[in-house]
Amino acid sequence: MKETSLFDSLLEEPQKPSGPVTCLGMTFENDEARRAHFTEELRKQLQDPEFRKIEGFPIGSDEDILNLSDPPYYTACPNPWIADFIAEWEAQKPELPEGYHYHREPFAADVSEGKNDPIYNAHSYHTKVPHKAIMRYILHYTQPCDIVFDGFCGTGMTGVAAQMCGDREVVMSLGYQVKPDGTILQEETDEDGKKVWRAFSKLGVRKAILNDLSPAATFIAYNYNTQVDVAAFEKEAKRILKEVEKECGWMYETLHTDGKTKGRVDYVVWSEIFSCPECAGEVVFLEEAMDMETKRVMKEYPCPHCKAVISKQKMSRTFESYYDSLLKETKERPKRKPIQISYRIGKVKHSKSPDDDDLNLLERIAALDIPDSIQSKEYPYDDMWEAPRMLSRGITHVHHLFLLRQLYSVGFIWKRISDVRSYQTRQMLRFWIDQSIPGMSVLNRFQPIQHGRDGGSQVNRQMSGVYYVPSQISECSPWYNLSGKLSRLAKAFKNSKSLLGGCHIGTGSSTHLNIEPNSIDYVFIDPPFGDNFAYAELNFLVESWLGVLTDMKPEAIVDRSKKNRDSQKGLSEYRQLMTACFQEVYRILKPGRWMTVEFSNTKASVWNSIQVALTEAGFIVANVSALDKQQGSFKAVTTPTAVKQDLVISAYKPNGGFEDRFKKEAQTEEGVWDFVRTHLKYLPVTKRQGVLLLMVPERDPRILFDQMVAYYIRKGYPVPISSQEFQVGLSQRFIERDGMYFLPDQVAEYDRKKMTSGAPQQLSMFVSDEASAIQWLRQLIKEKPQTFSDINPQFMQQLGGWSKNEAQLDLRELLHQNFLCYDGKGPVPEQIHAYLSTNWKDLRNLPKDDPTLVAKARDRWYVPDPNKAGDLEKLREKALLKEFEEYKEVKKKLKVFRLEAVRAGFKKAWQERDYAVIVAVADKIPNNVLEEDPKLLMWYDQAVTRMGGE
């Protein structure tokens, strides 16, 4: 009779069924019964052809989708029950006090949160925002039981954040205080400069709706946001590792250098073999290129055959033919050689070069057929960026990314996981291994030097964001790769609470959501960053094992693929897709509520596309701040132009009252001031950087004018007021402080903050074109009115970054068109008088016509008062429109031109409904100029839309 240990008997013990559960008003005997009922309901939905026509519907069989899903909480397809949950949650909300009115200023503080939290690190993904950073935004904009939505949920950190808003310890770890009644306090500075704690939110779980186009992403999000039975997970994981050792352990055995003791392999280092360009001899890359003392790869080294100085770039890769038993055809792959084996005997680590026994073992493995259980999928190269790189290595199918030993062990583990009876344990086991799949493939780089030191783990060393097959591969054993992850996951989830009921997840495009209008309280999204990542093709590797694939067609990226030009997406298609997503979010968000968009891209054109998409969807941007993840990506750290801090856009959906009023006021000037009055309420009164008070750019009159114009254009109305009239009206109706405009109740708060912190700091300017040059001059001479000879040398220092397409104006022309110069006639202008009397003792208290003061003030340039700048503005506009007329007549492409003239011309053409002129001139200017200018892009997109509708 077989002897069984206590450990073995525990492994075989069936899980106890859960007690009665209630879901969507229905009570079930246990959770298994609940899942069985809704799985059948989902099966019926999947048989409806119309359901499968929903945009972004994943690619997979009914059975694969059902096996991955946990309906109604999580579905690996669009979730049909989301609207039902929202209705149930709304009905459960506590009654609001009589007269309650929701109001929040945008969260204007810069946020910094590290990535060292165990939960955050439980699973890797291409991009991820720390959940503790998201918590700050959710706590600011919502109250307990409010519903949060994330349409690009990735790993589900927004769901984790929403639910952890009910965890006192986690909330306090953010630097807040929590009173016994659940009131959350944050530290602020009062009018006397003292630190005080003020209430701003309440402790309590927020509900979350998560959605993503990628089944891999929503699968991770589900595991992050559901109950985990850590003991059951650990038990099954250890059992599977034990079984894989019985099945595949012989493949990872090696003989110790004593010739008799067997060791277990941690990893094997493989090197690609190249051909010398001089003698055509074979060169094992790592044997010749690696300096064994420094463990670094040399740029140049001698050929072992002819001694010619060679480099990797000069050599060509060698290939070998092999029979692919899965495809039943002969294929080619790079020729590789094992050069080092790292193994252990007990806990002691050893290293050696492969001996004859090791090579014989590899030959024995190579003679095996690929297991029948492996279901490999062909890569859709027509739609992929990485096609040239992968095809050059002979990779056409997923299984080509694995050495045969790797394929055997990963396939065996995946099959054993699929046999686990408990759904949630099975999902957690897949969560455990799916992040290890790239690290157990040929993508895993051998990196002997890490963080500047010799040594380090070889687990999951693949390059993120690309399919990069290195010349030196580290082939890890399943135990070496998975054992550490097992203990880390168990630690991360050991305090996991039952989260089902607080977060629900669907898979599909955010352009079509099963959510009623005006039903979401707050939105936090982290959308795709243009052409930084091709999420669908990067996820294809894992999704092929999960059995459900992303539909790439509606993916909001800028596509670099070259082959399938019919489906290729440029910046325009990316903007249209993002606009469609934002329009859907606008539809489901309650009026007067907020959306936070976390965004990072190194290109101004992509950044502008996001801003234009937001505007066209109907959102109004109120603030842009920074989110420092405390760990730059590879590109952000090494690229000089990269954005090292993600930008966070705070945008709101106008409340219904204003929208109704605007329909009546749009044709009148009162509509302008109603917009400004409403918009000012949504803007931060102050911004800080540490103890320093900063300018609030959104309160600048030019920014306010641009926001008003954008709103009118999106609504399809002509703008009833000129820039100059706007400036005059602004100064008459609102209160100005330090070049910013406030409502009466806001200015009192601003004055208090200014008393304790001092005058606000101006942000440094970067001059690249006419508009930024004017803004730089305005800032310079407003602070200190100066003569031309004083201004010129300072101006010349700013011209290094001038855009190559922008006509460079002479300083005198810029000054004459935009500013005034005191000629010594009449009283000294107020701006010059204030500056001189403040900075020269002998000029104080002198009348404005005093000869000494007049002499000191003569020839100084100053910023005209809004009430007196009308004629100057008209002359400038006349000159710009004259230049625009020339652009209209030009037959060829414009290489150098005045961007301000194009902006003025587009504005005039819009007022006259001459959309064809906008489109015609836009076709003459370089595409990058159009894409990198949000104003031009807005006029152009709207003109194209109007022409299409006429």
Side-chain angles (χ1 to χ4, degrees):
M1 181 177 175
K2 182 185 175 185
E3 191 173 327
T4 58
S5 67
L6 176 61
F7 179 73
D8 288 329
S9 64
L10 284 172
L11 294 180
E12 295 167 3
E13 183 182 346
Q15 288 189 315
K16 295 177 183 178
S18 61
V21 295
T22 300
C23 179
L24 289 175
M26 292 177 276
T27 301
F28 300 92
E29 181 183 355
N30 52 44
D31 209 41
E32 289 75 12
R34 180 270 308 168
R35 187 177 297 108
H37 169 80
F38 283 104
T39 296
E40 285 309 305
E41 292 299 308
L42 183 59
R43 188 186 301 278
K44 294 173 188 174
Q45 288 273 4
L46 290 170
Q47 291 165 2
D48 179 0
E50 293 304 312
F51 182 58
R52 277 188 166 272
K53 287 180 183 177
I54 296 174
E55 184 163 327
F57 199 98
I59 300 165
S61 68
D62 288 6
E63 289 308 311
D64 284 333
I65 290 171
L66 292 169
N67 286 336
L68 202 57
S69 303
D70 184 16
Y73 302 118
Y74 155 58
T75 58
C77 62
N79 192 325
W81 294 281
I82 293 294
D84 299 326
F85 280 112
I86 292 174
E88 184 175 84
W89 290 340
E90 280 292 337
Q92 293 170 355
K93 281 186 178 181
E95 274 192 45
L96 295 171
E98 189 175 344
Y100 173 82
H101 173 69
Y102 176 88
H103 176 73
R104 298 288 190 282
E105 282 187 14
F107 189 88
D110 291 350
V111 172
S112 178
E113 286 293 343
K115 296 182 173 182
N116 294 321
D117 187 277
I119 287 288
Y120 180 89
N121 289 319
H123 199 293
S124 57
Y125 197 64
H126 320 297
T127 56
K128 191 161 53 165
V129 181
H131 62 279
K132 287 187 176 180
I134 304 173
M135 284 178 69
R136 297 180 185 275
Y137 295 96
I138 294 176
L139 288 170
H140 175 81
Y141 287 112
T142 68
Q143 290 293 322
C145 299
D146 275 358
I147 303 169
V148 179
F149 174 76
D150 185 347
F152 301 90
C153 72
T155 59
M157 290 296 103
T158 299
V160 173
Q163 298 182 84
M164 283 195 174
C165 286
D167 190 309
R168 183 182 296 268
E169 289 184 12
V170 177
V171 170
M172 291 181 69
S173 75
L174 301 177
Y176 301 128
Q177 289 186 359
V178 183
K179 294 173 68 175
D181 67 353
T183 300
I184 303 174
L185 311 172
Q186 65 181 354
E187 192 176 49
E188 294 181 3
T189 306
D190 68 9
E191 50 268 28
D192 298 322
K194 296 178 181 177
K195 298 290 184 183
V196 295
W197 290 92
R198 292 207 169 109
F200 81 102
S201 192
K202 292 285 285 186
L203 187 72
V205 168
R206 276 68 169 167
K207 307 293 187 180
I209 298 294
L210 307 181
N211 188 76
D212 201 284
L213 190 67
S214 165
T218 56
F219 166 76
I220 299 167
Y222 169 76
N223 282 282
Y224 259 126
N225 284 279
T226 192
Q227 182 181 15
V228 177
D229 185 337
V230 176
F233 160 65
E234 274 193 291
K235 182 175 68 175
E236 289 291 341
K238 288 175 180 177
R239 178 182 64 80
I240 288 170
L241 285 178
K242 197 171 181 181
E243 287 186 6
V244 77
E245 185 168 15
K246 289 178 184 177
E247 179 73 17
C248 305
W250 64 272
M251 296 183 179
Y252 295 92
E253 287 181 349
T254 188
L255 201 59
H256 188 39
T257 50
D258 63 5
K260 55 185 180 181
T261 310
K262 282 189 177 181
R264 188 168 73 174
V265 171
D266 279 344
Y267 60 88
V268 177
V269 179
W270 293 77
S271 173
E272 284 188 331
I273 300 174
F274 290 81
S275 175
C276 173
E278 300 297 329
C279 69
E282 286 193 345
V283 179
V284 180
F285 177 65
L286 277 186
E287 286 184 346
E288 308 305 328
M290 178 171 282
D291 183 324
M292 297 311 295
E293 289 187 9
T294 64
K295 297 290 179 68
R296 297 185 185 277
V297 173
M298 298 178 287
K299 289 187 177 179
E300 293 184 327
Y301 33 87
C303 170
H305 309 291
C306 68
K307 306 305 178 186
V309 176
I310 55 177
S311 66
K312 186 178 178 182
Q313 286 69 33
K314 292 177 182 178
M315 297 188 295
S316 56
R317 189 173 282 104
T318 64
F319 286 81
E320 63 181 5
S321 297
Y322 71 101
Y323 180 72
D324 187 324
S325 63
L326 189 62
L327 301 182
K328 295 182 171 49
E329 61 182 79
T330 300
K331 304 283 289 183
E332 280 199 335
R333 63 189 173 200
K335 201 171 180 181
R336 300 183 178 101
K337 177 184 176 181
I339 64 166
Q340 181 187 339
I341 299 176
S342 179
Y343 63 103
R344 67 181 69 205
I345 299 171
K347 294 184 178 180
V348 181
K349 296 180 181 179
H350 301 275
S351 179
K352 71 170 191 175
S353 297
D355 55 31
D356 289 343
D357 286 336
D358 297 313
L359 297 177
N360 290 334
L361 176 66
L362 291 173
E363 286 183 11
R364 182 183 164 196
I365 294 169
L368 298 172
D369 286 337
I370 296 172
D372 293 337
S373 59
I374 300 298
Q375 300 293 318
S376 184
K377 297 187 184 298
E378 185 175 7
Y379 270 101
Y381 279 130
D382 283 354
D383 297 317
M384 290 180 63
W385 302 356
E386 299 285 342
R389 192 200 310 270
M390 296 177 73
L391 286 171
S392 69
R393 304 294 203 279
I395 299 166
T396 60
H397 291 67
V398 168
H399 69 282
H400 294 152
L401 280 168
F402 299 85
L403 301 176
L404 191 55
R405 180 162 50 182
Q406 294 174 319
L407 201 59
Y408 255 93
S409 56
V410 175
F412 182 85
I413 293 170
W414 196 267
K415 189 173 186 305
R416 285 295 177 267
I417 289 173
S418 300
D419 295 337
V420 171
R421 283 181 294 171
S422 166
Y423 171 85
Q424 287 179 338
T425 302
R426 186 167 68 246
Q427 292 292 66
M428 194 62 193
L429 289 165
R430 286 173 174 163
F431 181 82
W432 166 53
I433 190 177
D434 85 327
Q435 59 184 303
S436 298
I437 286 174
M440 294 177 71
S441 74
V442 296
L443 300 174
N444 201 50
R445 298 170 293 167
F446 172 56
Q447 291 187 307
I449 300 294
Q450 295 176 29
H451 309 294
R453 297 189 301 273
D454 185 4
S457 170
Q458 296 302 316
V459 172
N460 283 32
R461 307 312 303 171
Q462 69 274 9
M463 188 179 289
S464 64
V466 291
Y467 280 104
Y468 175 72
V469 181
S471 295
Q472 61 270 22
I473 295 165
S474 182
E475 181 202 7
C476 297
S477 73
W479 308 277
Y480 181 71
N481 186 296
L482 292 169
S483 296
K485 281 189 176 61
L486 173 57
S487 58
R488 283 196 298 275
L489 280 178
K491 180 180 177 183
F493 287 97
K494 68 179 179 180
N495 295 321
S496 170
K497 299 170 184 176
S498 178
L499 301 178
L500 281 179
C503 179
H504 300 306
I505 303 164
T507 310
S509 173
S510 281
T511 58
H512 293 79
L513 299 168
N514 176 34
I515 299 176
E516 293 297 314
N518 306 323
S519 58
I520 299 295
D521 295 299
Y522 171 63
V523 176
F524 183 98
I525 59 173
D526 177 17
F529 303 156
D531 61 354
N532 280 16
F533 291 99
Y535 296 87
E537 67 178 73
L538 292 172
N539 287 338
F540 192 92
L541 171 57
V542 169
E543 288 178 353
S544 67
W545 289 86
L546 292 173
V548 187
L549 304 172
T550 302
D551 177 8
M552 294 186 181
K553 292 191 291 294
E555 185 181 22
I557 60 168
V558 179
D559 190 356
R560 299 188 202 138
S561 66
K562 304 297 181 190
K563 294 184 83 174
N564 193 351
R565 295 192 178 275
D566 292 337
S567 64
Q568 191 172 353
K569 303 186 190 91
L571 199 58
S572 177
E573 288 79 10
Y574 169 75
R575 187 168 63 253
Q576 290 166 13
L577 282 164
M578 288 309 306
T579 300
C581 291
F582 286 144
Q583 285 172 336
E584 188 72 344
V585 171
Y586 186 91
R587 180 185 68 81
I588 65 176
L589 185 63
K590 292 177 179 176
R593 297 295 183 128
W594 289 89
M595 174 171 70
T596 300
V597 182
E598 191 272 332
F599 189 78
S600 173
N601 193 283
T602 59
K603 295 181 180 178
S605 57
V606 178
W607 169 241
N608 287 329
S609 289
I610 284 289
Q611 293 184 86
V612 170
L614 279 167
T615 301
E616 291 186 356
F619 285 101
I620 301 175
V621 175
N623 182 67
V624 180
S625 296
L627 172 64
D628 180 7
K629 296 179 182 176
Q630 292 189 356
Q631 182 178 321
S633 68
F634 177 78
K635 293 177 183 177
V637 170
T638 59
T639 309
T641 57
V643 178
K644 291 191 180 180
Q645 285 187 317
D646 292 0
L647 297 175
V648 178
I649 310 168
S650 299
Y652 64 90
K653 177 178 178 177
N655 64 47
F658 168 70
E659 294 269 85
D660 293 340
R661 294 195 307 273
F662 185 78
K663 291 174 185 175
K664 301 173 185 176
E665 302 168 344
Q667 306 287 358
T668 70
E669 192 178 326
E670 184 50 39
V672 171
W673 305 120
D674 195 0
F675 171 85
V676 173
R677 198 174 295 110
T678 303
H679 184 53
L680 288 175
K681 292 177 184 176
Y682 284 92
L683 298 182
V685 174
T686 59
K687 284 187 180 182
R688 289 182 175 278
Q689 190 172 63
V691 296
L692 295 176
L693 199 63
L694 300 178
M695 295 291 291
V696 181
E698 292 82 8
R699 292 185 176 274
D700 182 282
R702 289 168 296 281
I703 303 296
L704 288 170
F705 180 71
D706 288 344
Q707 285 281 22
M708 180 273 296
V709 169
Y711 188 78
Y712 268 80
I713 290 170
R714 191 186 69 78
K715 291 291 187 180
Y717 293 111
V719 180
I721 191 172
S722 70
S723 172
Q724 198 52 47
E725 291 167 336
F726 181 83
Q727 301 247 4
V728 173
L730 202 62
S731 63
Q732 292 172 346
R733 291 171 173 81
F734 304 97
I735 303 170
E736 187 267 343
R737 291 287 190 276
D738 301 312
M740 301 176 288
Y741 283 88
F742 297 86
L743 297 172
D745 60 327
Q746 294 174 332
V747 82
E749 180 185 344
Y750 177 79
D751 287 342
R752 284 197 305 271
K753 297 285 177 68
K754 185 178 175 182
M755 285 177 63
T756 59
S757 303
Q761 303 292 307
Q762 284 279 3
L763 299 174
S764 58
M765 297 234 8
F766 180 72
V767 175
S768 60
D769 55 15
E770 181 178 348
S772 55
I774 293 168
Q775 197 171 348
W776 180 85
L777 286 167
R778 181 179 284 109
Q779 186 173 306
L780 179 76
I781 61 180
K782 189 170 186 178
E783 293 176 0
K784 180 183 177 182
Q786 303 173 55
T787 65
F788 176 84
S789 59
D790 292 329
I791 298 169
N792 193 47
Q794 300 175 73
F795 182 71
M796 297 305 291
Q797 292 176 13
Q798 300 293 321
L799 299 182
W802 197 270
S803 172
K804 65 178 181 180
N805 298 114
E806 176 80 1
Q808 193 164 322
L809 271 67
D810 181 76
L811 175 60
R812 291 186 188 278
E813 191 174 353
L814 281 171
L815 288 169
H816 280 289
Q817 288 189 5
N818 299 280
F819 305 98
L820 296 175
C821 184
Y822 177 56
D823 58 5
K825 297 176 182 178
V828 174
E830 174 58 34
Q831 188 187 137
I832 301 178
H833 177 262
Y835 168 71
L836 293 176
S837 62
T838 302
N839 291 277
W840 276 267
K841 290 183 180 180
D842 56 337
L843 298 180
R844 288 176 186 169
N845 302 318
L846 294 179
K848 291 183 179 179
D849 56 357
D850 184 277
T852 306
L853 185 67
V854 169
K856 191 74 173 175
R858 184 179 288 116
D859 297 329
R860 289 180 184 265
W861 288 90
Y862 64 99
V863 179
D865 181 278
N867 293 297
K868 299 176 182 177
D871 293 339
L872 198 63
E873 183 78 17
K874 288 174 185 174
L875 287 171
R876 168 176 158 76
E877 188 172 9
K878 186 177 179 181
L880 291 171
L881 290 175
K882 182 180 178 182
E883 196 137 356
F884 183 76
E885 289 298 317
E886 295 177 10
Y887 300 160
K888 285 165 60 177
E889 301 303 320
V890 171
K891 303 298 182 186
K892 57 184 180 180
K893 286 273 188 179
L894 296 165
K895 291 185 178 179
V896 180
F897 48 90
R898 284 181 75 179
L899 206 54
E900 287 295 286
V902 179
R903 288 172 182 151
F906 279 16
K907 180 183 173 186
K908 181 173 182 288
W910 174 269
Q911 299 289 82
E912 296 172 353
R913 300 183 184 277
D914 194 349
Y915 309 127
V917 163
I918 295 174
V919 174
V921 174
D923 288 341
K924 296 178 185 179
I925 65 177
N927 205 44
N928 67 297
V929 175
L930 182 69
E931 291 171 344
E932 292 177 7
D933 189 288
K935 293 179 185 177
L936 294 188
L937 201 55
M938 175 186 67
W939 297 114
Y940 173 73
D941 274 4
Q942 289 292 329
V944 170
T945 302
R946 304 291 169 189
M947 285 179 69
E950 291 181 351

